[in-house]
Amino acid sequence: MIRLEQVSKRYQGSAFVLANISVEIAAGEMVFLTGHSGAGKSTLLKLIGLLERPNGGRISIGGLDIREVKPRGIPWLRQRMGFVFQDFQLLDDRNVFENVALPLRILGLDERDVRRRVSAALDAVGLVDKGRVLPRTLSGGEQQRVGIARAVVHRPAILLADEPTGNLDPALSREIFELFRHFNDLGTTLLIASHDLALLREMNQRTLVLEQGRLLHDP
Ligand SMILES: Nc1ncnc2c1ncn2[C@@H]1O[C@H](COP(=O)(O)OP(=O)(O)OP(=O)(O)O)[C@@H](O)[C@H]1O
Ligand SMILES: [Mg+2]
């Protein structure tokens, strides 16, 4: 589903942030990505999410080499992915329902489908009765559940999460990880960057370790 071959990345004027990363994540896998601050976790997620371009190597998503995707194919490919952020990135000028509906509005779905899909997504994260409230009135854990509902509402094949529990306490973090497992059980492929070693151990999943831009350990 996601394949990286000898991928490297440097930002303008910087040294290499990622060097010769080769890894393959199969459809339906749930994989964690860990490593110290600055190791390149966010950069790796951005490359896979097509938010940054590699300087070398090959990335393919669902069998498509992203170098061969035409510019107008990029949004299409991006729509096959969902993103979850550490700081939730919810819009505070609209309610929970409209936050979750955003990806569907971009896709131009009609109102009936939007309502049905948003309700299903809010139901999946246990927030079906919170659609009308503003995000800032929710707890951190609830806000992240809204972030996850927004990330899955368009039924992406791949879910990418960058430190999704970085702002949450351990109990809420566990809840969020269990939610990820639920979407994985439904067939979504997940790649989740996290510092939370205790929780990663508890989840007992394949874990990639980055150290200074190199992939250390992939059992
Ligand atoms: N836009 C950018 N321009 C220049 N350098 C960058 C940029 N983004 C990241 N870097 C550098 O790339 C390296 C890796 O950063 P990255 O954010 O991928 O690490 P990380 O593993 O996600 O760290 P953290 O755990 O702190 O989130 C760092 O040295 C960082 O300073
Ligand atoms: Mg990061």
Side-chain angles (χ1 to χ4, degrees), residues 11 14 17 35-43 46 52 162-163 195:
Y11 292 102
S14 81
V17 168
H36 62 82
S37 180
K41 303 181 294 297
S42 296
T43 300
K46 285 177 193 162
E52 291 281 354
D162 195 355
E163 312 260 4
H195 271 129

Side-chain angles (χ1 to χ4, degrees), residues 118-136:
V118 171
S119 299
L122 285 175
D123 190 32
V125 302
L127 289 178
V128 79
D129 53 345
K130 296 285 190 187
R132 288 169 187 279
V133 310
L134 289 175
R136 66 166 172 273

Side-chain angles (χ1 to χ4, degrees), residues 53-115:
R53 287 282 183 165
N55 297 91
R58 181 207 298 258
I59 299 177
S60 24
I61 310 287
L64 279 177
D65 183 337
I66 63 167
R67 288 177 307 193
E68 283 156 22
V69 178
K70 299 214 164 62
R72 67 195 156 86
I74 296 292
W76 175 82
L77 202 52
R78 229 176 245 156
Q79 280 155 17
R80 304 197 56 210
M81 298 188 245
F83 298 89
V84 179
F85 306 93
Q86 175 170 356
D87 57 357
F88 321 138
Q89 299 205 10
L90 303 173
L91 300 174
D92 244 324
D93 64 345
R94 60 198 77 192
N95 65 25
V96 164
F97 183 97
E98 286 304 329
N99 267 276
V100 176
L102 269 174
L104 304 179
R105 305 259 184 238
I106 292 166
L107 289 172
L109 261 66
D110 70 41
E111 197 55 35
R112 229 184 78 226
D113 285 339
V114 170
R115 298 211 160 271

Side-chain angles (χ1 to χ4, degrees), residues 141 145 170-180:
R145 276 149 58 193
L172 286 176
S173 300
R174 186 170 296 113
E175 227 173 72
I176 294 295
F177 274 38
E178 289 302 335
L179 202 47
F180 284 135

